[in-house]
Amino acid sequence: MAVTVLIPTPLRPYVGGRDAVQVEAASIGELLHRLSGEHIALRKHLFADDGRLRSFVNVYVNDRDIRQLSAQETPVRSGDTVSIIPSIAGGTGGTAATEVRAGMQHAAPLPSLSHEEILRYSRHLILPDVGLEGQKRLKAARVLLVGAGGLGSPAALYLAAAGVGTIGLVDFDVVDKTNLQRQIIHGTATVGRPKLESATERIHDLNPNVRVEAFETRLTSENALDIIRDFDIVADGTDNFPTRYLVNDACVLLGKPNVYGSIFRFEGQASVFYAKAGPCYRCLYAEPPPPGLVPSCAEGGVLGVLPGIIGSIQAMETIKLILGAGEPLIGRLVLFDALKLQFRELKLEKDPDCPVCGSHPSVTELIDYEAFCGIGAEPSYDGAEITAQELKTEWERNPDLLVVDVREPHEYEIAHIDGAVLIPLGELPDRLGEVDGHREVVTHCHHGARSLKALEILKAAGFSKVRSLRGGIDAWAVNVDPSLPRY
Ligand code: ZN
């Protein structure tokens, strides 16, 4: 019998789509090297160029975090289960709960409830763990939701319904039709309007007692401390790594609990990061993945119900912190697999050397998170891209031009460019033989990100006449062939 390695969704394309593989090994180091030896494409996701294990990849043996040990030397035995948990972007014990609540106690006495509120919250008031005092605490509480999207939608609705007195919302986006598949706080009637307007209206319809404080801005290093300072709890529903690290660091610096949720395809993660009582996000993931390595929800897709489940967990944890009830998710990471309908829980250790919450922090003020996440430092693709209109003209002039579609077959089924050859990005390294290097090659995908990766793979393999379609098939549908459906 061998060791079972559970493969997370983002890495499954590199192991033939499987969710678990068996590996014979005596230590974690041996196991990871055998695994990436058998699955070459996996190697760059697990190891940096200098051979060390990437720090946004965490390894657990039988659900135990092994980073505090000499990770690579950790022995494994036949029958063990090893989990590889990468960070994904896309949204305490009982005593610690009391501590959080104590930190939130306002100098002012708790507010009173009107007759209307007593009737409205009657199912809370008869719960011993809430009662009149708990309901007043909810009314006094100030919760900031970063992002009014997939995770923020259910979180905002449940917090408003539960009677959280003040809900802050940070978002600068406009409601788009593709949001409605999961962002249930918005509606068809609000497509095209700012998300904050749409969300505020819906919250007030649900519960007019809630005060909404709207921040129509991107959360930045310049404004984060000022915005977060006046709130008791932050629920992070962002979809990108720079904002995740920004929210984390601001919460650690201000001593606020950060209720974390993130989603990707069919999997979600949730935890409560509260540095006073447990680890923070950086203790879990010291550094972000390189840009583009983990696809976003826009690129990788997400099941519509998933953010509903994870955002609801965030709302539940927020309410527990306010009430001081139960055991908050501090020091624990919950993993949810929707396809198996399975929850797993991993114990998180505080990293004593954490750059922001450790004993000798190096991050003592907010930094440039875009630079930290390597955004802006991406290679320049000058001259490597071609517009949809240019491609149409060149292709008419040179029918020998080869267009390679690097999307997945199910995307090809939705819409495809006639004459393009389908080779999904994950299969490209093994199917280079199907690309004729003597011809001009143009790669394309949905929006133009994966096709740049394909371009890099082809260039690295010696193909010289390769360009990538800027804006992907979406730009083609808009500018060349309006008969194609956009998705
Ligand atoms: Zn930390």
Side-chain angles (χ1 to χ4, degrees):
M1 218 166 71
V3 177
T4 303
V5 187
L6 301 181
I7 308 292
T9 314
L11 298 183
R12 283 179 201 164
Y14 311 106
V15 295
R18 283 175 291 170
D19 61 2
V21 295
Q22 303 287 323
V23 179
E24 300 275 355
S27 72
I28 286 294
E30 189 189 347
L31 179 142
L32 293 173
H33 281 100
R34 286 221 165 152
L35 186 67
S36 57
E38 274 172 44
H39 306 280
I40 300 294
L42 193 60
R43 182 186 294 275
K44 74 173 180 129
H45 294 269
L46 296 180
F47 295 99
D49 293 340
D50 60 9
R52 80 191 156 88
L53 187 63
R54 290 183 182 276
S55 57
F56 64 88
V57 176
N58 290 343
V59 178
Y60 298 78
V61 177
N62 300 330
D63 292 353
R64 187 159 155 256
D65 186 351
I66 57 161
R67 282 172 307 152
Q68 308 305 325
L69 313 168
S70 323
Q72 305 252 15
E73 281 110 63
T74 305
V76 284
R77 276 187 298 272
S78 180
D80 279 352
T81 300
V82 171
S83 310
I84 297 172
I85 312 286
S87 51
I88 53 179
T92 336
T95 43
T98 317
E99 193 182 319
V100 175
R101 198 183 66 183
M104 285 172 26
Q105 270 170 3
H106 302 266
L110 287 173
S112 57
L113 300 180
S114 69
H115 285 3
E116 190 271 340
E117 287 172 299
I118 288 173
L119 185 61
R120 176 185 286 270
Y121 305 127
S122 87
R123 297 299 183 277
H124 268 170
L125 300 177
I126 56 178
L127 264 183
D129 288 298
V130 185
L132 204 54
E133 192 192 316
Q135 194 62 51
K136 289 178 180 177
R137 287 193 187 286
L138 289 169
K139 185 173 178 175
R142 298 174 52 83
V143 177
L144 182 72
L145 299 178
V146 183
L151 295 166
S153 284
L157 289 172
Y158 274 118
L159 293 174
V164 167
T166 305
I167 295 179
L169 293 173
V170 188
D171 207 302
F172 59 94
D173 223 349
V174 167
V175 181
D176 180 85
K177 195 161 264 179
T178 60
N179 298 152
L180 299 180
Q181 164 257 18
R182 64 201 175 282
Q183 301 185 13
I184 56 170
I185 202 166
H186 311 296
T188 308
T190 57
V191 168
R193 289 178 54 202
K195 285 189 176 176
L196 285 190
E197 269 180 41
S198 165
T200 304
E201 278 177 22
R202 179 74 186 99
I203 288 171
H204 281 152
D205 180 45
L206 184 61
N207 189 347
N209 302 302
V210 176
R211 187 167 54 238
V212 177
E213 292 184 8
F215 301 91
E216 189 156 14
T217 175
R218 186 190 290 271
L219 198 70
T220 66
S221 302
E222 285 68 46
N223 63 24
L225 294 176
D226 285 337
I227 291 175
I228 293 174
R229 184 174 287 120
D230 292 333
F231 289 88
D232 303 314
I233 298 174
V234 177
D236 180 8
T238 48
D239 59 358
N240 63 84
F241 290 107
T243 317
R244 290 235 178 259
Y245 284 93
L246 167 62
V247 170
N248 178 73
D249 291 1
C251 285
V252 172
L253 295 176
L254 293 168
K256 310 279 183 189
N258 169 15
V259 183
Y260 160 84
S262 68
I263 46 173
F264 180 71
R265 291 194 171 163
F266 296 98
E267 280 176 26
Q269 301 181 353
S271 188
V272 173
F273 297 118
Y274 186 44
K276 287 180 181 173
C280 79
Y281 183 65
R282 279 196 196 241
C283 294
L284 177 59
Y285 297 116
E287 50 186 67
L293 202 58
V294 179
S296 68
C297 287
E299 208 182 308
V302 62
L303 187 70
V305 189
L306 181 63
I309 293 167
I310 301 297
S312 299
I313 290 176
Q314 290 179 277
M316 176 65 90
E317 287 303 305
T318 302
I319 289 172
K320 279 164 59 189
L321 290 175
I322 296 168
L323 298 174
E327 289 178 28
L329 213 41
I330 298 176
R332 298 185 284 149
L333 178 69
V334 163
L335 304 175
F336 176 63
D337 180 335
L339 291 180
K340 291 188 175 152
L341 211 295
Q342 217 170 50
F343 284 95
R344 290 172 58 221
E345 181 180 312
L346 304 171
K347 288 202 185 352
L348 300 183
E349 307 284 345
K350 193 175 175 81
D351 177 1
D353 299 323
C354 173
V356 64
C357 82
S359 40
H360 302 288
S362 54
V363 178
T364 53
E365 56 184 28
L366 299 180
I367 58 170
D368 179 343
Y369 293 88
E370 301 265 318
F372 175 64
C373 293
I375 294 167
E378 290 166 80
S380 135
Y381 292 104
D382 281 350
E385 287 182 297
I386 179 169
T387 66
Q389 195 57 54
E390 287 164 355
L391 174 59
K392 178 178 187 282
T393 313
E394 274 196 40
W395 208 357
E396 278 164 1
R397 220 180 41 223
N398 172 18
D400 194 43
L401 188 146
L402 177 64
V403 178
V404 180
D405 181 349
V406 300
R407 299 172 303 151
E408 299 300 313
H410 61 267
E411 295 179 86
Y412 183 88
E413 238 174 77
I414 303 168
H416 61 264
I417 299 175
D418 280 330
V421 178
L422 179 69
I423 306 179
L425 183 62
E427 297 173 17
L428 186 59
D430 298 328
R431 295 176 58 182
L432 292 172
E434 297 171 42
V435 183
D436 182 350
H438 297 100
R439 294 163 69 179
E440 290 273 348
V441 177
V442 172
T443 57
H444 94 77
C445 61
H446 186 198
H447 285 125
R450 279 172 288 172
S451 57
L452 283 172
K453 287 184 210 166
L455 174 132
E456 281 180 1
I457 291 171
L458 290 170
K459 291 245 172 187
F463 291 81
S464 55
K465 295 181 283 186
V466 192
R467 281 165 300 167
S468 162
L469 174 59
R470 183 182 299 151
I473 193 171
D474 195 55
W476 184 266
V478 171
N479 298 306
V480 176
D481 184 0
S483 74
L484 287 180
R486 295 176 66 195
Y487 66 102

